[in-house]
Amino acid sequence: QETGESGGRAGGAWAGARVTRRQLEIRGSRGGRHTEVLSYPPGDADAVTITLGDVERLNEGEFLNDSLVDFMCRFITTKMAPDTAKRMHIFSSFLHAKLAQQSLGAKERVEGAIRFSKGVDILSKDYIFIPVCDRLHWMLFVVLFPSLQTPLKIKGWTGELTVPCILQFNSLKCNRPDVGKRIRNYICALWEKKHGKGKGKGLFAKQTDLPIFNAPCPQQENDYDCGIFLLQNLSHMVITAPLPPMEELMAKQNAREDFDLSHVYDSRDIRSKRSLFRDQLDQLQEQILHGHPTADGAFTSSPADTGKRKRYLAGQAGGKAEADKADSDDER
């Protein structure tokens, strides 16, 4: 994956059909694939920007890049019930990118991640969701009840599950212990910052203090759908069937149903999710083109950018003639 933390192969078109050589030439001459489709949430200083090139990655056989994953994480956050949103926090992929930044030392990486999460009391949350792209593969890591100072045991899929802990939802059978270690170091540093130097180190100094478990989840049958699996797992745990608060979890005889996603969906559902994702972006992009406000606020775009989008979409649909017609419409 070549762009940001997780790029993907070029190809495909907005509507899902592969572009022709001529259409690529038209797009290249217009600068189309770098044209901004939307920024979400609108007006937010930390909004995620999606370009037409990003949208192409929603075609079958393409990897999701960090812009698409971060956009959907923000979008999913807005769909959470208010009481659920108070108990959970969803990071962007930038957190792990900070923790894995090779140009910095270990201490500087953790300090950078802490600055990135400034303003949110992370340790007060029941669940922390961290999307990760590591070595060209998307995974979802979840920290459970990081505020607990005394470990508790609940009944899970491997007998008893100890919390606090880190769960790894991975759609490929591959362990990434180095990722879990980075996240554990981050949580430890947050503890030290909040409770005083040495406190966090004493609590999470050993691996057994914040163990990492592989959570059961559906497995992908190819090498490019990992980002879709990540988003499906995230959506299920925060919207479809929100993970319960501690008191509810402790009262259960078996917590497997909350953390075992292996039978929640299968790989056949993934293609439809990819199409649904594209449709959602398509609807938002149409609202931008026509100046229609969304439920979250009004999208704004310059006349020049709007013209570029029209030309690009017209070129995808009908080649040079349609693109030229869009140019003519803009001039009028």
Side-chain angles (χ1 to χ4, degrees):
Q1 296 157 317
E2 58 186 322
T3 300
E5 300 306 317
S6 52
R9 295 169 289 175
W14 177 270
R18 297 292 176 180
V19 294
T20 66
R21 182 183 298 275
R22 180 56 184 159
Q23 288 169 338
L24 282 171
E25 291 173 354
I26 295 171
R27 182 187 64 188
S29 67
R30 310 288 187 181
R33 74 185 311 272
H34 300 294
T35 300
E36 180 181 320
V37 173
L38 58 86
S39 290
Y40 187 87
D44 192 311
D46 297 319
V48 180
T49 298
I50 299 295
T51 67
L52 291 169
D54 294 329
V55 176
E56 291 179 355
R57 300 179 191 275
L58 290 174
N59 291 317
E60 185 68 21
E62 303 293 331
F63 292 100
L64 298 193
N65 64 3
D66 45 2
S67 294
L68 290 171
V69 170
D70 290 344
F71 167 82
M72 277 307 296
C73 285
R74 296 293 294 271
F75 188 79
I76 288 171
T77 298
T78 67
K79 302 301 178 183
M80 295 165 63
D83 60 328
T84 301
K86 291 178 182 178
R87 299 187 296 105
M88 303 180 181
H89 184 75
I90 303 174
F91 275 110
S92 74
S93 62
F94 190 68
L95 178 75
H96 180 259
K98 280 295 223 182
L99 292 172
Q101 193 171 352
Q102 295 299 315
S103 61
L104 299 176
K107 182 179 180 180
E108 290 75 17
R109 290 197 293 266
V110 171
E111 289 176 348
I114 291 177
R115 287 194 298 271
F116 173 68
S117 55
K118 185 179 180 180
V120 180
D121 187 0
I122 300 300
L123 296 179
S124 70
K125 305 298 182 181
D126 290 348
Y127 303 95
I128 305 168
F129 297 87
I130 305 174
V132 169
C133 186
D134 182 67
R135 284 167 278 175
L136 309 184
H137 178 58
W138 283 107
M139 303 160 286
L140 180 64
F141 283 75
V142 186
V143 184
L144 276 64
F145 306 105
S147 64
L148 287 178
Q149 299 188 44
T150 303
L152 298 175
K153 291 186 176 182
I154 58 176
K155 294 182 179 180
W157 61 88
T158 54
E160 289 184 329
L161 177 71
T162 302
V163 293
C165 70
I166 301 172
L167 298 184
Q168 177 186 190
F169 292 86
N170 194 335
S171 57
L172 286 179
K173 295 184 182 300
C174 59
N175 284 326
R176 298 293 168 86
D178 49 340
V179 176
K181 183 178 180 180
R182 291 177 196 133
I183 294 173
R184 182 164 50 232
N185 289 342
Y186 166 69
I187 298 297
C188 175
L190 285 177
W191 262 96
E192 286 195 351
K193 188 173 182 63
K194 185 172 183 177
H195 299 286
K197 190 172 180 58
K199 297 291 185 180
K201 186 175 182 180
L203 182 64
F204 295 132
K206 297 182 296 183
Q207 182 175 344
T208 52
D209 293 333
L210 191 62
I212 303 170
F213 297 95
N214 290 316
C217 62
Q219 298 294 289
Q220 64 190 83
E221 299 174 350
N222 52 51
D223 60 356
Y224 50 80
D225 271 336
C226 48
I228 301 292
F229 276 82
L230 181 158
L231 294 170
Q232 179 66 12
N233 292 335
L234 174 63
S235 178
H236 180 82
M237 289 186 283
V238 304
I239 297 177
T240 306
L243 296 177
M246 172 58 75
E247 56 272 17
E248 291 184 21
L249 198 63
M250 294 300 295
K252 292 188 175 185
Q253 292 298 312
N254 191 341
R256 182 184 181 94
E257 61 185 24
D258 293 301
F259 303 108
D260 182 353
L261 307 185
S262 57
H263 302 295
V264 170
Y265 67 96
D266 59 39
S267 59
R268 291 173 297 181
D269 298 320
I270 295 302
R271 180 173 296 185
S272 64
K273 297 299 180 182
R274 188 181 283 267
S275 298
L276 177 62
F277 188 178
R278 186 189 296 113
D279 290 344
Q280 289 172 335
L281 279 173
D282 196 9
Q283 291 171 9
L284 289 175
Q285 200 268 348
E286 283 298 312
Q287 290 173 334
I288 295 172
L289 283 176
H290 297 98
H292 293 162
T294 69
D296 301 298
F299 286 103
T300 60
S301 58
S302 70
D305 283 344
T306 300
K308 288 179 182 178
R309 296 188 187 102
K310 288 180 179 179
R311 287 192 296 270
Y312 176 81
L313 295 176
Q316 296 298 296
K320 185 176 184 304
E322 291 297 326
D324 289 343
K325 182 177 184 298
D327 279 341
S328 176
D329 291 342
D330 288 338
E331 293 173 359
R332 287 198 295 269

